[in-house]
Amino acid sequence: MAGALDGIKVLDLSRVLAGPWCTQILADFGADVLKIEAPGAGDDTRSWGPPYLTGDDDMPGEKGESAYYLSCNRNKRSVAVNLADQRGADLIRRLAAEADILVENFKLGGLAKYGLDYAGLKAINPRLVYTSITGFGQTGPYASRAGYDFVAQAMGGLMSITGEADGSPMKVGVAITDLSTGMYAATSTLMALRHAERTGEGQHVDVSLLDTQISMLANQALTYLVGGQSPGRLGNAHPTVVPYRLFRTANGEIVIAVGNNGQFRQLVKVLGVPELADDPRYATNGDRVHNRAGLEAQIEDLTSAWASGELTATLLAAGVPAGPVNEVGQILTDEFAEARGTVHHFTRADGASVPSVAYPGKLSATPATFRRIPPRVGEHSRAALAEWLGLADEELDALAAAGVIADRADLLAAQKQGETA
């Protein structure tokens, strides 16, 4: 089955998370993604562990592939190129001439010194979609700053609305701004690609962590823009919907999320206090928001007498949204994950299982496919350069000997030769 992006060539000069997340999405739908890495250590996240998945082909000093790296680099090929060498920059320029998309997350101006900025590559490939992911954008007062997810969560207002009301500001438990930026970058890139296919005109796509995080404030941003007051932290409560939070039970806690008056009526019926549905203090959501404290205390007094599983099942049967607070391992082994194919397992050449969390969208005609295990540094240097640029073995040998490229097969062969010498 052909993928939606079969035939699209992507040059991936990004590392860590936002950029690789973007290019993994493109790769999942069939794009040929060449991950350009520095010879040696490669992507920073390769060392971000433990845990690490070790393999039979580990070389001295290698710890294996980190879980972090494995999370965002499937379906790609790794080409190790030394950009600091002019011949390496020339190789990237030649690859860019063949590419449909280039994704990079260097600091502002970081690629210009190699002649690999948008202006330089547009001159040789006018149809190129060139996506730049930075902390603060290509323009504006903070453009020169380095960008990190944690900083963007803090500056972008997310931490000010996350955490308990009387506690410290809190970041989200995953790099949510990086991930959101990667998704916005993928969407923006595909829109630019559609334009390029229609007109032959590429463009520069400028996506930043801080722009993304501000956008992701959604209703909380509009709370300020409409009401003129910054929202604060409410722990697990919702700022404008009540009851919609974590409630204590006899043996733990569950989430109850009441989104309308009908669900509220069913909730209080299950809890044995149907009269609350007609109490003028709680008749509408607006009333419940204004009288939040008293209502939530009453509800928690009642939920505390129930076992978590029994209450969740009873509420769901009554049409009230509710659910358990799962640990990561619990949801990844839940029957939902099994039924939906949430976890994919690659089988490596040495027989090891390499897990991956699948792309969540289910497309009926062009679904995501999982074809390649996240690559080792330089695993495909020779093959990809030969395929994209038609380089002969002699030229590849010369580039490898000069340290311009590194191919993992060469390194493994040298290691094996050293072991037998």
Side-chain angles (χ1 to χ4, degrees):
M1 181 182 294
L5 297 178
D6 275 8
I8 298 300
K9 293 182 176 180
V10 179
L11 199 54
D12 182 5
L13 275 69
S14 70
R15 57 207 181 281
V16 187
L17 186 53
W21 197 253
C22 166
T23 53
Q24 179 170 266
I25 292 171
L26 304 179
D28 283 351
F29 287 91
D32 183 9
V33 177
L34 299 191
K35 182 178 179 67
I36 306 301
E37 301 187 78
D43 192 313
D44 299 356
T45 62
R46 289 180 178 276
S47 64
W48 287 12
Y52 299 97
L53 187 68
T54 58
D56 288 349
D57 66 345
D58 287 343
M59 292 187 288
E62 284 188 334
K63 298 177 180 178
E65 302 296 310
S66 73
Y68 201 118
Y69 168 79
L70 292 172
S71 74
C72 53
N73 286 289
R74 67 169 171 252
N75 285 335
K76 305 175 188 179
R77 295 191 285 175
S78 173
V79 178
V81 179
N82 180 8
L83 289 183
D85 188 301
Q86 183 59 50
R87 291 166 294 181
D90 288 342
L91 272 180
I92 300 302
R93 205 167 358 264
R94 292 171 65 184
L95 290 168
E98 302 297 322
D100 300 288
I101 295 166
L102 184 149
V103 178
E104 60 92 8
N105 64 350
F106 281 68
K107 287 181 66 175
L108 183 69
L111 287 173
K113 61 185 177 183
Y114 305 119
L116 301 176
D117 56 335
Y118 176 61
L121 296 184
K122 178 183 179 182
I124 62 173
N125 185 356
R127 63 181 175 78
L128 181 67
V129 174
Y130 188 109
T131 299
S132 294
I133 300 173
T134 57
F136 301 95
Q138 300 295 301
T139 60
Y142 307 143
S144 63
R145 296 185 186 182
Y148 290 90
D149 172 273
F150 194 5
V151 175
Q153 287 197 40
M155 291 183 66
L158 181 60
M159 290 177 62
S160 76
I161 57 173
T162 305
E164 296 297 334
D166 57 353
S168 297
M170 189 67 62
K171 72 178 181 67
V172 179
V174 295
I176 193 67
T177 307
D178 268 341
L179 296 171
S180 301
T181 302
M183 289 190 288
Y184 270 123
T187 302
S188 302
T189 297
L190 291 173
M191 286 189 281
L193 179 65
R194 172 65 176 139
H195 176 76
E197 290 175 335
R198 191 170 59 241
T199 67
E201 177 189 38
Q203 59 186 292
H204 193 187
V205 178
D206 172 8
V207 187
S208 85
L209 299 183
L210 191 54
D211 281 317
T212 296
Q213 183 47 65
I214 294 169
S215 169
M216 295 296 287
L217 291 174
N219 60 295
Q220 295 284 45
L222 268 292
T223 292
Y224 172 78
L225 293 173
V226 172
Q229 186 172 0
S230 291
R233 295 183 296 283
L234 290 171
N236 289 303
H238 195 287
T240 55
V241 182
V242 173
Y244 198 103
R245 49 159 274 197
L246 207 62
F247 287 94
R248 188 174 64 252
T249 67
N251 62 334
E253 293 171 309
I254 68 167
V255 165
I256 299 174
V258 170
N260 58 52
N261 294 333
Q263 291 172 355
F264 180 67
R265 185 173 293 277
Q266 288 298 105
L267 169 66
V268 294
K269 181 180 178 181
V270 167
L271 295 178
V273 285
E275 65 275 10
L276 289 185
D278 299 313
D279 189 316
R281 296 173 297 171
Y282 312 134
T284 69
N285 181 69
D287 297 325
R288 294 191 289 273
V289 170
H290 286 301
N291 296 287
R292 174 195 303 270
L295 175 60
E296 291 181 340
Q298 283 183 271
I299 291 174
E300 190 153 77
D301 282 344
L302 296 166
T303 62
S304 297
W306 289 71
S308 293
E310 181 185 6
L311 179 55
T312 299
T314 305
L315 289 173
L316 291 174
V320 179
V325 182
N326 285 327
E327 294 180 353
V328 173
Q330 289 176 300
I331 190 56
L332 289 177
T333 55
D334 189 272
E335 61 181 348
F336 173 90
E338 175 67 25
R340 298 286 288 175
T342 300
V343 179
H344 175 81
H345 289 273
F346 295 99
T347 301
R348 205 166 52 190
D350 62 5
S353 177
V354 181
S356 193
V357 177
Y359 181 84
K362 314 298 183 186
L363 281 69
S364 62
T366 56
T369 58
F370 311 113
R371 308 172 307 283
R372 297 182 185 274
I373 296 171
R376 298 284 197 164
V377 178
E379 184 177 341
H380 307 96
S381 295
R382 285 177 173 268
L385 291 172
E387 183 180 320
W388 275 42
L389 302 180
L391 299 188
D393 287 343
E394 295 77 10
E395 188 172 359
L396 292 168
D397 289 342
L399 290 170
V404 178
I405 67 169
D407 186 88
R408 186 168 180 85
D410 293 341
L411 298 175
L412 289 170
Q415 174 190 317
K416 186 174 182 179
Q417 184 176 5
E419 290 173 349
T420 58

